[in-house]
Amino acid sequence: MPVYSIKVNGKLQQADVAADTPLLWVLRDHLRLTGTKYGCGIGQCGACTVHLDGNAVRSCLLPISAVGKGLVTTIEGLSEKGDHPVQLAWEEVDVPQCGYCQAGQIMTAAAFLKRTPNPSQQQVMDAMQGNLCRCGAYHRIREGVMAAAKKVAAKKA
Amino acid sequence: MGTPTNDSRREFLKNLSWAGGGLLLGFQWDSVEASMPSLLNVRQATAPAFNSYLAIAANGQVTIFSPNPELGQNIMTSFAQIVAEELDADWKQVRVEQAPLDAKRFDRQLTGGSGAIPHSWTRLRKAGASARYLLVGAAAGRWGVPAQECTTEAGFVHHKPSKRKAGYGELAEAAAALSLPADIPLKDRKDFKIIGKPVKNVAGRDIVTGKGIFGLDVYREGMVHAVVQHPPAFGTKLKSFDASAAKAMPGVINVVSFKNNVAVVARSTWEALQARKAIHIEYEKEAAIEHSTDHDRWMQEMLDSDKATVRRRNGDVTAAFQSAAKVVQAEYQSPFLAHNPMEPMNFFADVRSNGVELIGPTQTPANARAQVSKLVGMPEDKITLQLTRLGGGFGRRLRNDYVLDAAELSMILQKPVKVVWTREDDMTGGVYRPAVRYRFRAALDKDGNLIGYHLRGAGINADNSTREDNFPSGAVEHLLIESIDHKSPITTGAWRAPTTNFLAYAEQSFLDEVAAAAGKDPVQFRLDLLAKARQQPVGAVKYNIERMEAVIRKAAEVSGWGKKKGVAQGFSVYFSHASYVAQVAEVTMRGGKPSLSRVYAAADCGQVVNLSGSRQQVMGAIVDGLGHAMYGRISFKEGKAQQANFHQYRLIRMKEIPEVEVVFVENDFDPTGLGEPALPPTGGAVANAIFGATGIRLYQQPFADHSLFKG
Ligand code: FES
Ligand code: FES
């Protein structure tokens, strides 16, 4: 089997896996980065969301062979001290219920806010529509993204 | 908090003793002196006779061990709040740790029925109050002052007359040597500082930083990964299989069969999944192979039969309907639903000759251990079970079939194994909310009074699909509640707010129809019935009339019931799992289609423990109840579930949520659970609001199937 070298959270990592292995399972089973979750395996739930070169992608659908030189960021690498504005906002708003979907929600929100630093509530809802939360924490997820946007704006000002 | 293990807990206890002492309390809850906490020192902490622990380390850190499975109901936070309140702890110094299964130390170590808080309320308060008592005693002893002169605040004992204070950590060891009187006074509720406040999820940090706290995140040295192919259709069993191709695939360690299952064991999850696709398996018929069309027909036949079991009878329904000025009749139906907790089923098992280690997410750890004990033929005291956080439950993890998969595979392979069910495995593998159909009849006299009420429920593996003592029972002179059930090979089980999750929709929609037929306002109609239940109760009244009236009035008040223009309101109220919740849904027409803009909820769960968590539970339950009423359905063809993943089984998403406003009714009742009670009223409130906006009644879930929402 080929050995793939991928850059995850700033570190070069190797995995000896088949070419079609989804990044999700490489992260979890091989690199032990378990923050990225398996929820459906077919791109429907968003629990597996990571960043590839800053864009939110579904790692369950991304074969390792397609990662190439792309920079992968997982929830573990989103910030050094767990203090990304989205993470802080999530705690402030007390978003999580069971918490299982939240890494994916946070990664989607973080990528979205980078591109849309000053979003309307409607834009937030559009951006987050792909992430399921079975606990139904959507109101606070929405509030969390809005609160994070304010933090980003305050930082810049 | 990392993945909790027995080791980390032992380590923690050891650290405590190394740190030069600390205070650790155990509570013998299931003994004769049920409410009398006993004290033990750190070294005795592992003594089996005691069952819940609160520890105070020399550095002042308070650790509260949370015995119940945490699946998002926020029990770890609210349990700790209750203990910390009576302890007068500094909340910043409190950490909460998931306790392992220990039937000797804890009772009722399970999550289900919204029962944990009511069960533990007084116990937890006593836990905190006892420790506080001892700490005060230790400080008083040290200072040579009367204990009554000492006060406590945020982790310190104060003696104000002499301006002295001491932290709990420095007092802990001395406190541990004191003894407790039988009666420890509890706080007056008006002095609560932590209970009733919005307190953030104690696992929040771990969750937002992606710590591996769930069952799926368990990895152990030497562990292998397994996926299991269960029979894909209910009513079939394994006939034969050919795994030669699968066994040759990369990473595959073995393919083994047990019971009716074929399992692939591999170096990684993905390799196991790929190999499973390459196994050729044949099944044969074992029991009835059913279709949804059968279920529909059978439910109709059952409703038409006279074989139903009588659940409650008051007066003479037949005579009431004969004398009625008006009769209202309707049928309501709800489909099978999957639970779909976001974290799929999984468990870790290591079965060795001298014992078993189990780690993972289950709502019923004691049951899991008992079943594994039977399976592997080892006594329960040789089996440890460490709970991880559960990525949702909704009742699915009351059943431990996936735990047994893991244990059996580990036994066969003699290796530590983590079993993972895919989403498809779970959605097609059973344990569904049962399918039901209800027939209601109501008799009204010439003044529009409800004089007769007849409900017959028919279900597929629903057992008793009614709650015979629920409102309006007790308020109707002539009443008959019956149920009838078809036994099916399709496995069903409790789904968040069991039975009431569909019954409430049907009952509350029907009552709306009856109110309309009687020419009465739906809110007033319910209040009139409650007044009747108070003045002339018919048979037993098993709900609290005043509490139900209070939530009805509150919901009407906050929603501006009946006063709004351009918006249709729908009302619903329900009593379940010891709490009362009334809801008003608001629907407006947009582009010819009904659109749900807002839901108001007034809830009475007694004393609110965590204002943030409680609001979240109510909002989440409304979203859940709405989502499943709108979209949820599992249907069957040839015994096979026709929905396998989220592209076929629609869950509610962010853009479909209404605004939700939650208020809690304040009273002096002890707290009752809130994981479930806000869900049942939602379907009815929404259906009634849609009727208000369109004149169309929704008699079937999922609502989205109705032509109203099509095109
Ligand atoms: S696991 Fe990737 S989208 Fe669901
Ligand atoms: S918090 Fe449980 S699935 Fe989102």
Side-chain angles (χ1 to χ4, degrees), chain A residues 1 16-18 20-22 25 28-30 32 34-42 44-45 47 60 75-76 78 81-83 86-88 90-103 105-106 121-122 124-126 128-142 145, chain B residues 71-72 74 199-201 204-205 207-212 214 216-217 219 225 250 267-271 273-274 338-344 389-392 394 418 420-424 495-496 611-613 615-617 619-620 623-624 628 645-647 651-660:
Chain A
M1 250 181 302
D16 177 10
V17 295
D20 62 355
T21 310
W25 292 112
R28 293 187 56 85
D29 284 356
H30 300 270
R32 298 289 153 85
T34 55
T36 306
K37 300 302 189 211
Y38 163 70
C40 69
I42 59 165
Q44 287 283 319
C45 76
C60 70
I75 185 76
E76 291 91 344
L78 181 63
K81 299 197 181 95
D83 55 356
V86 177
Q87 289 169 309
L88 294 178
W90 243 239
E91 276 192 282
E92 261 170 47
V93 175
D94 199 21
V95 174
Q97 289 198 45
C98 82
Y100 192 81
C101 72
Q102 298 298 346
Q105 307 275 5
I106 290 169
Q121 182 158 297
Q122 192 55 47
V124 171
M125 311 237 293
D126 288 339
M128 302 306 293
Q129 182 73 354
N131 285 70
L132 287 173
C133 174
R134 175 65 183 85
C135 297
Y138 295 122
H139 293 93
R140 289 201 184 162
I141 293 169
R142 184 175 72 189
V145 184
Chain B
L71 44 71
N74 216 359
V199 170
K200 294 187 172 116
N201 194 326
R205 187 102 278 259
I207 291 168
V208 305
T209 53
K211 292 276 160 7
F214 297 94
L216 201 75
D217 305 337
Y219 286 82
H225 297 258
R267 175 180 84 129
S268 71
T269 316
W270 180 251
E271 286 165 327
L273 287 170
Q274 293 299 90
H339 299 82
N340 284 323
M342 212 68 227
E343 177 189 22
R389 192 177 180 84
L390 285 66
F394 310 102
K418 181 166 73 180
V420 175
W421 290 32
T422 60
R423 177 62 56 197
E424 290 84 355
W495 193 101
R496 191 179 194 178
L611 195 54
S612 177
R615 295 177 63 82
Q616 178 84 306
Q617 283 306 307
M619 292 167 87
V623 170
D624 191 358
H628 283 90
N645 206 327
F646 297 129
H647 62 304
L651 289 181
I652 190 166
R653 291 175 185 269
M654 190 181 277
K655 284 206 273 191
E656 291 121 20
I657 59 168
E659 299 308 315
V660 173

Side-chain angles (χ1 to χ4, degrees), chain B residues 62-76:
Chain B
V62 175
T63 298
I64 293 165
F65 296 98
S66 181
N68 289 50
E70 169 65 87
L71 44 71
Q73 83 280 40
N74 216 359
I75 198 79
M76 283 178 90

Side-chain angles (χ1 to χ4, degrees), chain B residues 496-515:
Chain B
R496 191 179 194 178
T499 304
T500 56
N501 63 53
F502 40 72
L503 178 61
Y505 143 67
E507 283 180 349
Q508 292 296 309
S509 301
F510 183 66
L511 282 181
D512 210 61
E513 284 192 75
V514 179

